Amino acid sequence: GAVVSQHPSWVICKSGTSVKIECRSLDFQATTMFWYRQFPKQSLMLMATSNEGSKATYEQGVEKDKFLINHASLTLSTLTVTSAHPEDSSFYICSARDRDLRGGRGHGEAFFGQGTRLTVV
Amino acid sequence: GENVEQHPSTLSVQEGDSAVIKCTYSDSASNYFPWYKQELGKGPQLIIDIRSNVGEKKDQRIAVTLNKTAKHFSLHITETQPEDSAVYFCAARPRYTDKLIFGTGTRLQVFP
């Protein structure tokens, strides 16, 4: 399958600071990337959908000013957790959807990065 | 909107036995159904997927079946091995969206 690289794999930061997480599709172009948050022993919660060259679409209840998403190219999206607090501690995972070269929707697998464990102290 | 239910939440099997995980979805317009395996501390890994125009797909020890009429799909793992132990998630993608709607996950334990 295709490779999605997420960096860093873990980070510890002080309360009030900002943290940037990078997500790269290494061997394919991704017009759409997704950011998820996962709590222990729970499913993946979609935070936002990121489209290259346009503003991200946030899910209900997700603060867009706190979780800044930038999708500058077909292979890179970043999530910045601003003014982090202990309650932001979580496992954050990105996903990139393989570009649909045939046009239309309903095609293109989604591949996940290895995740980032964020701990805010 | 789409809703995906997954059962069971935990599943324990003896090595060599088969394991079956079932999911149901609510939106009949959904047309893509992937399965992911997530090991502890890692991101989900796509292991198999099926599209709505196919009833069954197999890849070595893994198979997925889809019943569009009943709106359910299942993951079948045969000859299980301890390294199959992980959390498995099913998902569904509604036709006119990029989003995947995930099930709640199944923790599979394979005992040697």
Side-chain angles (χ1 to χ4, degrees):
Chain A
V3 179
V4 176
S5 176
Q6 188 173 339
H7 179 83
S9 56
W10 61 271
V11 58
I12 301 173
C13 70
K14 290 185 177 180
S15 188
T17 61
S18 295
V19 173
K20 181 184 284 188
I21 303 170
E22 289 189 350
C23 180
R24 293 180 185 271
S25 56
L26 297 187
D27 52 0
F28 68 98
Q29 292 182 328
T31 51
T32 306
M33 289 187 175
F34 307 88
W35 288 95
Y36 295 85
R37 185 172 180 177
Q38 188 177 34
F39 293 101
K41 298 186 179 181
Q42 293 192 21
S43 189
L44 290 80
M45 183 187 79
L46 179 65
M47 298 174 65
T49 302
S50 165
N51 291 293
E52 185 261 338
S54 62
K55 291 183 178 179
T57 302
Y58 291 81
E59 294 298 303
Q60 191 172 8
V62 178
E63 299 176 60
K64 61 180 181 180
D65 294 330
K66 180 161 191 63
F67 300 101
L68 300 179
I69 292 172
N70 182 272
H71 192 158
S73 74
L74 285 172
T75 60
L76 174 65
S77 177
T78 60
L79 167 67
T80 301
V81 183
T82 63
S83 187
H85 291 283
E87 55 265 32
D88 298 323
S89 298
S90 193
F91 193 55
Y92 293 88
I93 316 172
C94 71
S95 171
R97 185 178 174 187
D98 198 354
R99 188 176 187 182
D100 174 18
L101 299 179
R102 288 168 285 181
R105 296 186 183 276
H107 301 280
E109 295 86 352
F111 300 96
F112 284 80
Q114 58 266 51
T116 297
R117 171 76 55 196
L118 169 64
T119 302
V120 185
V121 297
Chain B
E2 176 64 281
N3 182 52
V4 178
E5 294 188 358
Q6 182 171 348
H7 299 281
S9 56
T10 60
L11 179 60
S12 297
V13 299
Q14 206 72 33
E15 181 178 2
D17 287 349
S18 296
V20 180
I21 302 170
K22 299 181 180 181
C23 288
T24 59
Y25 61 99
S26 60
D27 188 348
S28 57
S30 291
N31 61 358
Y32 176 65
F33 308 92
W35 285 89
Y36 291 89
K37 174 184 180 183
Q38 186 177 28
E39 297 177 337
L40 191 62
K42 297 184 179 180
Q45 176 191 4
L46 178 66
I47 55 172
I48 197 167
D49 58 10
I50 192 167
R51 304 187 191 280
S52 58
N53 57 348
V54 176
E56 184 174 358
K57 184 177 178 180
K58 193 172 182 180
D59 183 4
Q60 299 182 338
R61 297 186 296 109
I62 296 173
V64 56
T65 57
L66 171 65
N67 183 326
K68 286 193 299 182
T69 303
K71 289 189 284 188
H72 66 69
F73 56 112
S74 301
L75 177 70
H76 305 253
I77 305 175
T78 59
E79 300 173 28
T80 54
Q81 302 166 1
E83 49 266 38
D84 293 330
S85 297
V87 178
Y88 291 80
F89 290 98
C90 64
R93 178 188 289 154
R95 186 182 298 273
Y96 299 110
T97 179
D98 286 314
K99 299 179 187 179
L100 285 176
I101 309 301
F102 283 86
T104 48
T106 297
R107 185 171 300 276
L108 173 64
Q109 287 185 304
V110 180
F111 292 98

